[in-house]
Each structure stands twice: as structure tokens, then as C-alpha cells.
Amino acid sequence: MLSWLVPQASTSARDIDWLFTLILVTVGFWFVVAQAALFTLIFRFRRRPDVAAAYISGERKEEKRWISRPHALVIVCDIVLIAGALLTWKAVKQDLPPADERVRIIAQQWAWVFVHPGPDGKLDTDDDVRTVNDLRVKIDTTYHFELTSRDVVHSFSVPAFRLKQDAVPGRIVTGWFRPTRLGTYDIQCAEICGIGHALMPARLTVETPAEQAAWYASRSAQGG
Amino acid sequence: MVGVWLERRNPARGSRWGGVNRAASALLLAATAVWTKPAATCADLLARGRELYVLCSSCHGDRGQGDRQRSAPAIGGLPQWYVEAQLHKFLAGERGYHPDDVTGLQMRPMAQAVHRGDDLQAVAAYVASLRPQPWPRTQHSGDTTRGQTLYATCIACHGADGKGNEALKAPRLAGQADWYLIDQLKKFRSGQRGAAPGDAMGAQMRAMVNVLPDDNAIADVVAYISSLRP
């Protein structure tokens, strides 16, 4: 449902959107039911001539049910939502599927530096490709990222991947993503990091292996 | 344009719509005359530049005096043409493009804040209007005598007095902070500056910096530049 507004371009996006939909449908359904009951009762027991208003103390069994039954339903819904949230958290944050490739992401005021593994698919070799504000990844490939910061706390946010992870100076944070849709998407810093925070966007391109090989070759031809 | 659109929408009623057509055109012309701003005067430009400079002042200081802790050079009083040229380079990705150029990467997005209309000219004009704030020497390791010899190569563009030459697009060096000059010369040498495609002046400077074989030579020539009167 959320994909109508923001493209769904990774496996995590699918999981997060599933949780979003679960919450929206569960809460939305009971919201509609509660409002319908409220307005029905208001209409049914509206003011009439010669009918005195009754004082309801809420002590009779059939009156108490209006509190106890919705209460029980809310608890059941809470359990369902918590279970859904835990399942999603496990799939997105706790599980670390084996990596096909690794990328390094270095945040600084106010730019992103990306280290791509190059044609050999391994970081820290001579063919690594470093770029500024331009991350390129292959579709249907599981990436582990090593995220760090050169100065202050930043947050690596890719809305199309439903991915947001803080970058902390002095720490290397490991995470993962698996792109599922070709295209170009926004990267943004999601943590106020100084006066240039708003001017810290970058671009993420999900491409085919052939396109990435051609890009590596073009970089190599340019000497960079 | 409105008239043409009405004509196209109603080809059979050209004569009937002629009056409306003319009235709409006249209205559009009148509106354009009211809405079109007159050309910005020099005072307008400086006033706009002062507004925009608030962003710059967070690093370069309210008088353009620079701040070493933020690696921000003194920019007050730099010529307008030079400030404009550098902002254009930052905008075009010809400066602040290298992954290791930490301070250049900081400046690059700042230039994007002045990319609209004549904002870039306005802020450059305001910076040029500030009184130059010469830096005291902070590096004392350089040999001024050897630096003078090395500076002979720089004279062709930057001048014997280090005051620069607009015709050659060479900026003023005298009065600039020694730590900044050392930093920039090292960047030219490593390719963090001047190596972007399209940066012809940077490429020239990269070639020139080859006369400075090591860090000692850079310290010497900067020691000499620091001895020049701004």
C-alpha cells in the first residue's frame, strides 16, 4: 500500500510495508467500527420530547460489556501487532543473510563517500571504486554495508529501501540490503548533522550486473 | 500567447473572439510590466549578498576572517571574479569532488545554496566588499630564503607581490592563511584539487605545483608568501 507513494525497491521494503499494512488495516478496521458504533448510539438515543435522559452508572453486567469486550479486542490486536513487529524486526535487523558483495559507506559533513568493491567483488583491493554522493548496486544481490562517519552522527536513509541506519563516528555499523527493483532512488541524511544537513542528498542506482560492469569499465578507462 | 491559444481553440470564431484575444494580450502585457523586476542595482546585489552570507559566516566568520578550527580560509576582500569562479567550480563538481577532500566536500553543498538567479554573484560581491583580514603566521618551519627562490615560478601568474592577476585567473596569495595555502598545495599535488575534467586553471596549477617536490618545499614557499604584505 505504501508503495503507491514511495517505490518498493528492496526486500526490507516489502517486509516493512507488510507491517505498515498490518497496522493500518487492524487499527483502521477498529477505528471505523468504533466510530460507527458511536454515531449509531448517538443517533438511536438522540433527544426526544417527553423522554428523560437516563443516568447510566456502568455497574450492570450488560453495560460493563461495552468496556470489557473492546478492551479484550484491543489486547488481542496489540498481541498481533507486536508479533508482526517482532517478525519484521528479525527479518530486517537481526538476521544477516550471507553477503554476495560488500560496500563501505562513509558519511561526513556534508557528503557521502561510497567504496564499491570493483569488478573483483571484494573491498580493499586495487580495483575498488570510490564515489561521492553516487552509490551503484546490482539488482537481486545481497549487500552488506559498513557504515561509519568521519565527524558527527549522520543517518543513512534510503526511503525506497525503507532503510535508515545511524552512522556513528568511531564505530563501523554493519547492515544489509537486497535491491529488487531497477531505478534511481534518493539517499538522504536523516540526522541533523550541522548547517549543511539539508544539502546532503545522494543518489542510489540499482542496475543490472552488465550495466555495473560497463560502469566499472568506464571508470577504469577514465583512470578513476 | 493567451490570444494564440484562444484562436486555436476557436478557429471558427476568430472574429468573435478577436476582442477577447486583444484584451487578454493587453492584460498579459500589463501584468508582465508590473511583475517584471527591474535589473538589480549594485546596492540590491550587496544587500542580497549580505543576506546569503549568513550561511557562509557559520564557517568563514561574519567578517570573512576565516576559522582554522573549521578549516575555513579567510575570504573577506577576495576579488569578486575569483569567488564567483570558485563557487562555479564547486557547483560544477570541479572542486570538492575527491573522496579524500574532506573540507572541499564540506564546501561543495554550500555552493548549491547560491545556485539560483544572481545569488552567486550577489554573495561574491558581498565577500569582495568585506575588508581583507590577513592571517598571522602559524607555521614557522619554512625557510623564507629558499621559499623566495621557489616562488620565482609562481610570479608569472600570482605576481611578485602575491596580489594575483585577474587576466590570468590567478588569485591573491598575500595575506591568506599559511595553513590554508599549505593544505591547498598538498591537495593540488595529490589530485584532490585541480584534477577534475574541465578545470583548466586547476590543471595548470597542478602542473606548477610539481616544482615543489616535497612538504619542506611547500613549507618554504608558503613561508615566503606569508612574508609578503597583503
Side-chain angles (χ1 to χ4, degrees):
Chain A
M1 195 177 286
L2 203 60
S3 59
W4 296 343
L5 302 171
V6 187
Q8 199 182 61
S10 77
T11 52
S12 299
R14 190 190 56 210
D15 294 337
I16 299 275
D17 286 3
W18 172 82
L19 179 62
F20 181 88
T21 307
L22 179 72
I23 294 170
L24 185 72
V25 169
T26 310
V27 176
F29 175 76
W30 287 114
F31 175 78
V32 170
V33 169
Q35 296 304 308
L38 181 66
F39 282 103
T40 304
L41 293 175
I42 288 174
F43 181 75
R44 191 170 164 192
F45 298 103
R46 66 188 180 281
R47 181 176 176 274
R48 288 196 174 92
D50 304 326
V51 177
Y55 176 74
I56 299 170
S57 63
E59 288 169 355
R60 289 161 57 194
K61 213 171 182 182
E62 59 269 30
E63 291 167 355
K64 282 184 184 171
R65 275 189 219 134
W66 285 93
I67 301 297
S68 58
R69 288 185 183 173
H71 190 192
L73 281 170
V74 165
I75 289 173
V76 169
C77 290
D78 276 352
I79 291 168
V80 170
L81 295 185
I82 289 168
L86 289 174
L87 284 173
T88 306
W89 177 262
K90 181 176 181 300
V92 173
K93 290 285 186 186
Q94 284 201 306
D95 290 347
L96 189 66
D100 298 319
E101 286 199 9
R102 301 175 74 86
V103 287
R104 191 167 291 137
I105 303 166
I106 304 159
Q108 73 149 77
Q109 290 176 320
W110 293 280
W112 299 95
V113 173
F114 301 106
V115 186
H116 302 75
D120 69 354
K122 290 178 186 161
L123 280 178
D124 302 318
T125 54
D126 290 342
D127 68 349
D128 287 0
V129 173
R130 293 192 303 163
T131 56
V132 174
N133 295 340
D134 183 19
L135 173 61
R136 292 177 182 240
V137 294
K138 289 183 286 190
I139 192 166
D140 295 329
T141 304
T142 301
Y143 283 87
H144 284 190
F145 61 80
E146 296 171 8
L147 177 63
T148 189
S149 167
R150 281 174 169 161
D151 37 43
V152 299
V153 176
H154 300 271
S155 186
F156 180 69
S157 169
V158 186
F161 282 9
R162 314 291 190 269
L163 169 64
K164 189 181 282 179
Q165 179 64 56
D166 278 3
V168 184
R171 286 181 61 184
I172 297 172
V173 179
T174 301
W176 70 281
F177 57 80
R178 184 178 173 88
T180 55
R181 181 177 149 159
L182 298 171
T184 303
Y185 306 104
D186 292 337
I187 295 170
Q188 58 200 28
C189 181
E191 183 67 58
I192 295 288
C193 59
I195 197 161
H197 166 68
L199 301 165
M200 198 177 158
R203 186 178 55 227
L204 166 71
T205 305
V206 180
E207 55 195 3
T208 62
E211 286 169 338
Q212 183 155 88
W215 177 65
Y216 280 146
S218 71
R219 295 279 306 192
S220 180
Q222 290 167 19
Chain B
M1 190 183 292
V2 173
V4 172
W5 179 78
L6 286 171
E7 206 73 65
R8 283 183 186 159
R9 294 273 296 173
N10 304 280
R13 301 189 202 174
S15 57
R16 183 178 164 188
W17 284 84
V20 177
N21 192 351
R22 279 191 294 276
S25 299
L27 197 64
L28 197 67
L29 275 173
T32 308
V34 171
W35 288 335
T36 303
K37 283 164 61 178
T41 63
C42 189
D44 292 339
L45 207 63
L46 280 177
R48 176 76 183 134
R50 182 197 293 268
E51 280 176 27
L52 293 164
Y53 186 77
V54 171
L55 178 64
C56 319
S57 67
S58 60
C59 291
H60 292 282
D62 56 354
R63 290 167 291 129
Q65 71 271 32
D67 183 342
R68 189 177 181 186
Q69 282 196 316
R70 293 185 168 87
S71 302
I75 55 172
L78 282 175
Q80 184 176 343
W81 63 265
Y82 179 70
V83 179
E84 283 185 20
Q86 297 312 302
L87 286 171
H88 278 300
K89 285 187 184 191
F90 278 114
L91 271 175
E94 293 170 3
R95 258 190 97 172
Y97 58 86
H98 196 282
D100 292 331
D101 182 6
V102 174
T103 52
L105 289 172
Q106 280 187 343
M107 183 57 208
R108 182 172 158 172
M110 294 297 120
Q112 289 168 3
V114 290
H115 78 281
R116 292 186 200 87
D118 56 3
D119 284 357
L120 192 147
Q121 287 78 9
V123 80
Y126 181 72
V127 168
S129 75
L130 295 169
R131 185 194 295 269
Q133 307 279 335
W135 266 80
R137 277 184 76 169
T138 61
Q139 313 285 319
H140 299 285
S141 58
D143 178 344
T144 310
T145 311
R146 186 165 171 249
Q148 186 171 11
T149 310
L150 291 166
Y151 188 74
T153 311
C154 319
I155 288 174
C157 295
H158 293 281
D161 53 5
K163 296 210 167 134
N165 185 337
E166 181 178 355
L168 298 172
K169 305 292 178 206
R172 170 167 60 80
L173 302 177
Q176 186 49 277
D178 47 12
W179 56 265
Y180 178 73
L181 293 175
I182 289 172
D183 194 31
Q184 295 306 304
L185 286 169
K186 286 181 179 174
K187 284 185 184 180
F188 276 117
R189 195 173 60 189
S190 68
Q192 290 179 29
R193 186 176 169 185
D199 183 7
M201 305 313 296
Q204 273 188 12
M205 188 58 206
R206 281 207 75 200
M208 290 297 114
V209 89
N210 285 332
V211 302
L212 306 170
D214 52 29
D215 288 356
N216 288 336
I218 287 177
D220 294 342
V221 78
V222 169
Y224 176 69
I225 293 169
S226 299
S227 73
L228 299 171
R229 287 176 65 85

